[in-house]
Amino acid sequence: MNNNRNKSILIVENDIRILESLQGKLKSAGYIVISSKEGYEGFQRAKKEMPDLILIEDNLPVMSGLKICRILKFDERYKHLKIIIMGSKATLEGISKDDYGFDGIITKPFRIGDLRELINQQIELANHAN
C-alpha cells in the first residue's frame, strides 16, 4: 500500500528527538513531511500548507495541540483536515473527541508501526471522503 506518495503530513512536536525520528520514518514511508516545533507556528503552517494529515503533540509552547485542533476542526475552511493528537496517557485521559474534533489519538510512548497504521487509516478515510 504505497499510496503515500504526494501525501503530506505536518508534524508539530517540541521534542527535537521525537520530531527528527518521526520525520525520518514518515519520509521513508513516502510522505512529504512538514514540521514545526511550537503551537502557534504549527497552527499557521496548517492553514497555509493544508496538509493531508496533522500529527500534533498536545503539550506545546505558545498554543496547545488540543487548542489548535479545536480551532481548526470548528472552522469550516479547515474541518476536513485529519488530525492525530499525541501526548502522555495522563494528559489525554478523559479528553473527548466531541470537544476537540480530532480524528485520532495516540499516547506516548508508542510504536511507530501503530502510528503508521493510524495515519494510514485516516488518510484512507480522507481519500474516500473526496
Side-chain angles (χ1 to χ4, degrees):
M1 178 200 296
N2 200 2
N3 55 354
N4 304 343
R5 214 147 299 297
N6 298 323
K7 296 291 183 186
S8 60
I9 296 179
L10 169 61
I11 305 169
V12 187
E13 170 62 68
N14 60 327
D15 183 321
I16 195 69
R17 292 169 306 166
I18 294 171
L19 179 61
E20 288 175 351
S21 175
L22 289 172
Q23 284 173 320
K25 287 176 172 55
L26 293 174
K27 281 180 183 174
S28 69
Y31 293 104
I32 297 165
V33 177
I34 309 157
S35 63
S36 174
K37 289 181 267 196
E38 63 99 334
Y40 186 74
E41 178 193 39
F43 172 65
Q44 293 300 329
R45 294 209 66 183
K47 294 191 310 179
K48 180 182 174 213
E49 306 279 346
M50 299 292 276
D52 294 290
L53 185 131
I54 303 168
L55 183 58
I56 190 167
E57 161 65 34
D58 179 48
N59 188 17
L60 294 168
V62 184
M63 183 184 258
S64 79
L66 286 170
K67 183 173 185 174
I68 294 166
C69 184
R70 177 182 273 157
I71 293 168
L72 291 172
K73 285 301 207 170
F74 293 101
D75 185 319
E76 287 296 317
R77 296 169 294 177
Y78 310 110
K79 72 179 188 176
H80 69 281
L81 295 173
K82 294 292 184 183
I83 301 175
I84 297 173
I85 296 286
M86 301 182 290
S88 71
K89 185 174 184 169
T91 303
L92 298 178
E93 206 164 48
I95 299 296
S96 167
K97 181 178 178 174
D98 292 338
D99 291 338
Y100 295 95
F102 53 82
D103 299 287
I105 193 166
I106 193 160
T107 56
K108 293 178 175 179
F110 52 79
R111 293 191 326 238
I112 194 65
D114 293 339
L115 178 62
R116 285 192 20 199
E117 187 176 314
L118 186 56
I119 288 169
N120 288 337
Q121 286 172 356
Q122 291 306 320
I123 288 181
E124 279 299 309
L125 288 170
N127 289 340
H128 291 300
N130 293 336

